[in-house]
Amino acid sequence: MSTSVMSDAMMIPAANLTIEATDVESVKCDCCGLTEECTLEYIERIRERYLGQWMCGLCGEAVKDEIVRSKRLISTEEAMARHVSFCRASISSGPPVDPTVSLIATVRQILRRKS
Ligand SMILES: [Zn+2]
């Protein structure tokens, strides 16, 4: 009996625990340019949702917001196009801004829309 207990303990593959944690990739938002570290599985899932493009969490929220705000039913694609053009416009208007500043501007815009 005691030998089987020992072999059970040895069967736990220690390597499996580290694979998930290291399986991350740095990915840049196709819209605002924000770079995030995400797992490949998550990146895949988001890309599927956004027609092969990567949207950061904030832009994803903004796209959802576009759909909710729209008076008629719009597709994810259309909502994305709206948000991307809005995002690009806010980036190109005024002096060059770093991603953090444009991010703040986007958040402000979202908050303003919701209030
Ligand atoms: Zn973004």
Side-chain angles (χ1 to χ4, degrees), residues 39-87:
T39 62
L40 294 174
E41 193 195 336
Y42 181 69
I43 293 168
E44 196 67 22
R45 201 152 17 107
I46 296 295
R47 284 221 162 110
E48 231 167 74
R49 189 185 303 169
Y50 296 114
L51 317 153
Q53 288 196 283
W54 170 260
M55 293 260 140
C56 69
L58 197 70
C59 289
E61 280 301 311
V63 168
K64 264 192 263 170
D65 193 56
E66 288 285 353
I67 296 168
V68 170
R69 248 169 14 97
S70 178
K71 287 181 179 64
R72 63 189 177 85
L73 196 68
I74 59 165
S75 63
T76 306
E77 192 175 10
E78 197 175 342
M80 274 171 66
R82 283 188 191 190
H83 175 65
V84 168
S85 65
F86 159 76
C87 207

Side-chain angles (χ1 to χ4, degrees), residues 29 31-32 56 59:
C29 177
C31 183
C32 70
C56 69
C59 289

Side-chain angles (χ1 to χ4, degrees), residues 1-112:
M1 266 327 255
S2 64
T3 50
S4 81
V5 169
M6 256 189 83
S7 61
D8 276 357
M10 283 169 77
M11 292 238 326
I12 298 166
N16 274 7
L17 299 169
T18 52
I19 288 170
E20 269 188 298
T22 53
D23 206 15
V24 293
E25 198 171 82
S26 155
V27 63
K28 195 175 167 202
C29 177
D30 283 326
C31 183
C32 70
L34 183 84
T35 310
E36 289 180 304
E37 296 260 311
C38 298
T39 62
L40 294 174
E41 193 195 336
Y42 181 69
I43 293 168
E44 196 67 22
R45 201 152 17 107
I46 296 295
R47 284 221 162 110
E48 231 167 74
R49 189 185 303 169
Y50 296 114
L51 317 153
Q53 288 196 283
W54 170 260
M55 293 260 140
C56 69
L58 197 70
C59 289
E61 280 301 311
V63 168
K64 264 192 263 170
D65 193 56
E66 288 285 353
I67 296 168
V68 170
R69 248 169 14 97
S70 178
K71 287 181 179 64
R72 63 189 177 85
L73 196 68
I74 59 165
S75 63
T76 306
E77 192 175 10
E78 197 175 342
M80 274 171 66
R82 283 188 191 190
H83 175 65
V84 168
S85 65
F86 159 76
C87 207
R88 299 255 157 90
S90 65
I91 288 168
S92 60
S93 67
V97 286
D98 64 80
T100 320
V101 174
S102 64
L103 191 73
I104 292 163
T106 311
V107 173
R108 274 204 198 113
Q109 191 72 24
I110 292 165
L111 292 175
R112 213 179 298 147

